[in-house]
mmCIF file of all heavy atoms in Angstrom:
data_model
loop_
_atom_site.group_PDB
_atom_site.id
_atom_site.type_symbol
_atom_site.label_atom_id
_atom_site.label_comp_id
_atom_site.label_asym_id
_atom_site.label_seq_id
_atom_site.Cartn_x
_atom_site.Cartn_y
_atom_site.Cartn_z
ATOM 1 N N GLU A 501 9.478 6.830 -24.396
ATOM 2 C CA GLU A 501 9.013 8.167 -24.752
ATOM 3 C C GLU A 501 7.739 8.526 -23.985
ATOM 4 O O GLU A 501 7.573 9.661 -23.503
ATOM 5 C CB GLU A 501 8.767 8.236 -26.260
ATOM 6 C CG GLU A 501 8.588 9.640 -26.811
ATOM 7 C CD GLU A 501 7.155 10.137 -26.730
ATOM 8 O OE1 GLU A 501 6.244 9.286 -26.712
ATOM 9 O OE2 GLU A 501 6.957 11.365 -26.682
ATOM 10 N N ALA A 502 6.824 7.570 -23.839
ATOM 11 C CA ALA A 502 5.583 7.829 -23.106
ATOM 12 C C ALA A 502 5.878 8.149 -21.646
ATOM 13 O O ALA A 502 5.266 9.042 -21.052
ATOM 14 C CB ALA A 502 4.656 6.617 -23.210
ATOM 15 N N TRP A 503 6.795 7.411 -21.085
ATOM 16 C CA TRP A 503 7.184 7.655 -19.694
ATOM 17 C C TRP A 503 7.787 9.063 -19.543
ATOM 18 O O TRP A 503 7.437 9.801 -18.620
ATOM 19 C CB TRP A 503 8.195 6.596 -19.268
ATOM 20 C CG TRP A 503 8.787 6.846 -17.923
ATOM 21 C CD1 TRP A 503 9.953 7.474 -17.635
ATOM 22 C CD2 TRP A 503 8.206 6.498 -16.665
ATOM 23 N NE1 TRP A 503 10.157 7.527 -16.278
ATOM 24 C CE2 TRP A 503 9.092 6.935 -15.662
ATOM 25 C CE3 TRP A 503 7.038 5.862 -16.293
ATOM 26 C CZ2 TRP A 503 8.843 6.751 -14.311
ATOM 27 C CZ3 TRP A 503 6.777 5.668 -14.938
ATOM 28 C CH2 TRP A 503 7.674 6.116 -13.977
ATOM 29 N N ALA A 504 8.663 9.415 -20.444
ATOM 30 C CA ALA A 504 9.317 10.716 -20.350
ATOM 31 C C ALA A 504 8.300 11.853 -20.465
ATOM 32 O O ALA A 504 8.406 12.864 -19.759
ATOM 33 C CB ALA A 504 10.381 10.842 -21.440
ATOM 34 N N ARG A 505 7.304 11.701 -21.350
ATOM 35 C CA ARG A 505 6.277 12.737 -21.466
ATOM 36 C C ARG A 505 5.520 12.911 -20.163
ATOM 37 O O ARG A 505 5.197 14.026 -19.746
ATOM 38 C CB ARG A 505 5.299 12.402 -22.595
ATOM 39 C CG ARG A 505 5.820 12.729 -23.981
ATOM 40 C CD ARG A 505 4.717 12.641 -25.024
ATOM 41 N NE ARG A 505 4.178 11.296 -25.167
ATOM 42 C CZ ARG A 505 2.969 10.925 -24.773
ATOM 43 N NH1 ARG A 505 2.159 11.805 -24.204
ATOM 44 N NH2 ARG A 505 2.546 9.684 -24.943
ATOM 45 N N GLY A 506 5.219 11.808 -19.504
ATOM 46 C CA GLY A 506 4.523 11.904 -18.232
ATOM 47 C C GLY A 506 5.342 12.620 -17.174
ATOM 48 O O GLY A 506 4.797 13.340 -16.332
ATOM 49 N N ARG A 507 6.650 12.449 -17.225
ATOM 50 C CA ARG A 507 7.540 13.101 -16.257
ATOM 51 C C ARG A 507 7.922 14.513 -16.675
ATOM 52 O O ARG A 507 8.524 15.257 -15.893
ATOM 53 C CB ARG A 507 8.828 12.276 -16.095
ATOM 54 C CG ARG A 507 8.644 10.892 -15.520
ATOM 55 C CD ARG A 507 8.073 10.940 -14.126
ATOM 56 N NE ARG A 507 8.890 11.768 -13.237
ATOM 57 C CZ ARG A 507 8.399 12.429 -12.193
ATOM 58 N NH1 ARG A 507 7.121 12.383 -11.923
ATOM 59 N NH2 ARG A 507 9.196 13.141 -11.430
ATOM 60 N N GLY A 508 7.615 14.866 -17.930
ATOM 61 C CA GLY A 508 8.047 16.170 -18.423
ATOM 62 C C GLY A 508 9.518 16.209 -18.753
ATOM 63 O O GLY A 508 10.146 17.278 -18.758
ATOM 64 N N ASP A 509 10.112 15.048 -19.068
ATOM 65 C CA ASP A 509 11.538 14.946 -19.374
ATOM 66 C C ASP A 509 11.748 14.707 -20.868
ATOM 67 O O ASP A 509 10.828 14.311 -21.596
ATOM 68 C CB ASP A 509 12.172 13.789 -18.596
ATOM 69 C CG ASP A 509 12.090 13.974 -17.094
ATOM 70 O OD1 ASP A 509 12.021 15.135 -16.648
ATOM 71 O OD2 ASP A 509 12.077 12.954 -16.371
ATOM 72 N N ALA A 510 12.973 14.905 -21.306
ATOM 73 C CA ALA A 510 13.344 14.540 -22.672
ATOM 74 C C ALA A 510 13.410 13.018 -22.775
ATOM 75 O O ALA A 510 13.924 12.354 -21.870
ATOM 76 C CB ALA A 510 14.694 15.153 -23.025
ATOM 77 N N PRO A 511 12.879 12.428 -23.844
ATOM 78 C CA PRO A 511 12.880 10.966 -23.949
ATOM 79 C C PRO A 511 14.283 10.409 -24.135
ATOM 80 O O PRO A 511 15.156 11.039 -24.734
ATOM 81 C CB PRO A 511 12.006 10.693 -25.176
ATOM 82 C CG PRO A 511 12.080 11.947 -25.978
ATOM 83 C CD PRO A 511 12.218 13.069 -24.996
ATOM 84 N N MET A 512 14.474 9.215 -23.610
ATOM 85 C CA MET A 512 15.739 8.498 -23.773
ATOM 86 C C MET A 512 15.663 7.676 -25.065
ATOM 87 O O MET A 512 14.741 6.894 -25.257
ATOM 88 C CB MET A 512 15.952 7.572 -22.569
ATOM 89 C CG MET A 512 17.197 6.733 -22.621
ATOM 90 S SD MET A 512 17.274 5.652 -21.150
ATOM 91 C CE MET A 512 18.924 4.985 -21.329
ATOM 92 N N ARG A 513 16.590 7.848 -25.960
ATOM 93 C CA ARG A 513 16.601 7.120 -27.226
ATOM 94 C C ARG A 513 17.432 5.851 -27.072
ATOM 95 O O ARG A 513 18.620 5.917 -26.720
ATOM 96 C CB ARG A 513 17.183 7.987 -28.341
ATOM 97 C CG ARG A 513 16.381 9.257 -28.601
ATOM 98 C CD ARG A 513 17.002 10.075 -29.725
ATOM 99 N NE ARG A 513 16.978 9.329 -30.982
ATOM 100 C CZ ARG A 513 15.936 9.313 -31.805
ATOM 101 N NH1 ARG A 513 14.847 9.988 -31.492
ATOM 102 N NH2 ARG A 513 15.975 8.636 -32.929
ATOM 103 N N PRO A 514 16.842 4.677 -27.317
ATOM 104 C CA PRO A 514 17.606 3.430 -27.192
ATOM 105 C C PRO A 514 18.774 3.398 -28.179
ATOM 106 O O PRO A 514 18.599 3.633 -29.366
ATOM 107 C CB PRO A 514 16.582 2.342 -27.527
ATOM 108 C CG PRO A 514 15.248 2.994 -27.327
ATOM 109 C CD PRO A 514 15.437 4.427 -27.680
ATOM 110 N N CYS A 515 19.942 3.123 -27.668
ATOM 111 C CA CYS A 515 21.143 3.019 -28.502
ATOM 112 C C CYS A 515 21.797 1.647 -28.392
ATOM 113 O O CYS A 515 22.529 1.236 -29.287
ATOM 114 C CB CYS A 515 22.155 4.097 -28.093
ATOM 115 S SG CYS A 515 21.553 5.783 -28.277
#
Side-chain angles (χ1 to χ4, degrees):
E501 193 274 335
W503 173 265
R505 281 191 296 110
R507 296 298 305 151
D509 298 334
M512 178 182 189
R513 299 180 63 85
C515 299

